[in-house]
Amino acid sequence: MKAASVSDFRALARRRLPHFLFEYIDGGSYDEVTLRANMRDLGSIALRQRVLENVSAIDLATDLFGQKMAMPLALAPVGLAGMNARRGEVQAARAAAAAGIPFCLSTVSACPIEEVVRETPQPFWFQLYMIRDRGFMRDLLAKARDAHCSALVFTVDMPVPGSRYRDYRSGLAGAAGIAGSIRRTIQGALRPGWAWDVGIRGRPHSLGNVAPVLGPRTGLEDFFAWMRDNFDPSVSWRDLDFIRSEWHGPLVIKGILDPEDAKRAVALGADGIVVSNHGGRQLDGALSTARALPPIADAVGDKLAILADGGVRSGLDVVRLLALGAKGVLLGRAWAYALAAGGEAGVRQMLGLIEAEMRVAMALTGLTRISQISRDILVR
């Protein structure tokens, strides 16, 4: 596969996916100001190049929540990722296991928890949205416990879905009924490789964890209608009591951008947070991750594990976020592009590129261990 960077995988994904699916994973909300800022602000972080340091033995290993990791990376939860390649979440989970890092399965995955645990060699993380139907949530959490998921990632920045113009323009949203279905079918037919491998061979269980509540309804319109109707805008910090009553493992709160919210997470006993603006897919104009992370690290950095995502397109970006205060970094679009481009092999290759880029960045900043990465390597 001819890909030397995440941007190359993005180009391959554009060519191989139906238009509506590529726009779904690639786009942000409204005018995509925050989506662009994530990459722009992270890319503007300058590092101090150091020389004549012995960097012959670089070690990327770390641990999070008691789990040994080959790199301070995890594959972030990505909704409907299984539509990018046949049984896509299973393929991505296998690639993560081969790389020695965690995979996080989304509530709204195409592959259900039971399939992923059956088909992958190591425990994975599970991501949870607050759903109006608490019985459904209890069932999901019970399945996550039975699957021995090693952490729960509770996403809190989506009480209502952001407005994503690209999804309306592509026909994924807004074009309901037969007209929308025909439009997407035509787009799928223009990608015959995808249509055969994913649309036909990958069809069973295509609505993943929400299939039990959808029943015989199997269309994308049904899926997105359920999402719109069941996200809970009344969710508050008090709902963490409900989560804790059903889940006793490591709890990570995803979607924190403000130091005061980070302090609330500490006070309520979270084991970690993810500094995240949902990849620029929710509040357009919100702070980029690179700008939000340092004050949060200053406020709570020694009290829980801080992870971050948003705009990461290289191993150099990973080192930048670690220097800004993160203990681990989640890759989102990067693995979605690679999965669409080449399935499990594509994700493995992408992770290999990220690892190699991290090693180069550490060598050229004079570091050999993850624990040495700090703001000292930043150009003030």
Side-chain angles (χ1 to χ4, degrees), residues 203-362:
R203 182 66 178 171
H205 313 297
S206 60
L207 295 178
N209 297 308
V210 305
V213 292
L214 287 178
R217 297 171 294 170
T218 59
L220 277 178
E221 294 94 346
D222 301 312
F223 181 87
F224 284 106
W226 179 88
M227 288 177 63
R228 287 192 302 271
D229 293 342
N230 284 279
F231 283 113
D232 190 352
S234 72
V235 63
S236 72
W237 291 102
R238 292 189 301 272
D239 289 296
L240 285 180
D241 292 337
F242 169 80
I243 302 296
R244 276 300 192 192
S245 71
E246 302 291 331
W247 178 262
H248 305 295
L251 174 63
V252 183
I253 300 178
K254 183 177 185 292
I256 300 294
L257 287 177
D258 190 279
E260 294 306 312
D261 286 336
K263 292 175 183 177
R264 291 289 298 273
V266 170
L268 292 170
D271 300 286
I273 58 172
V274 183
V275 178
S276 172
N277 52 43
H278 216 101
R281 294 166 70 82
Q282 283 296 99
L283 177 62
D284 202 25
L287 281 178
S288 69
T289 300
R291 290 184 60 194
L293 177 56
I296 289 175
D298 289 340
V300 301
D302 59 346
K303 298 179 176 68
L304 44 58
I306 299 176
L307 292 81
D309 69 10
V312 180
R313 299 294 185 270
S314 68
L316 181 58
D317 288 340
V318 173
V319 172
R320 287 173 168 137
L321 284 179
L322 296 176
L324 291 173
K327 298 300 181 187
V329 174
L330 302 184
L331 301 176
R333 287 183 177 88
W335 78 261
Y337 295 144
L339 179 70
E344 179 181 340
V347 180
R348 288 192 186 213
Q349 183 182 350
M350 181 275 296
L351 289 172
L353 293 174
I354 295 287
E355 177 184 357
E357 291 164 351
M358 287 183 66
R359 290 183 180 279
V360 170
M362 290 177 65

Side-chain angles (χ1 to χ4, degrees), residues 2 52 58 63 69 100 127 131 145 164 204 240 261-262 277 307-308 321 359 368 372-373:
K2 295 181 180 179
L52 298 179
I58 293 175
D63 66 86
M69 299 163 54
Q127 176 268 336
I131 303 299
R145 290 195 306 270
R164 300 165 190 171
L240 285 180
D261 286 336
N277 52 43
L307 292 81
L321 284 179
R359 290 183 180 279
T368 58
Q372 295 172 330
I373 301 176

Side-chain angles (χ1 to χ4, degrees), residues 17 21 24-25 78-92 103 105-106 108-112 115-116 194 197-199 201-208 335-336 339-340:
L17 288 176
L21 269 184
Y24 175 69
I25 64 172
V78 175
L80 292 178
M83 293 188 69
N84 297 332
R86 178 161 49 94
R87 317 317 299 157
E89 287 95 359
V90 168
Q91 294 197 56
F103 168 80
L105 182 70
S106 171
V108 290
S109 59
C111 298
E115 179 182 4
V116 178
W194 176 91
D197 193 45
V198 181
R201 295 180 67 199
R203 182 66 178 171
H205 313 297
S206 60
L207 295 178
W335 78 261
L339 179 70

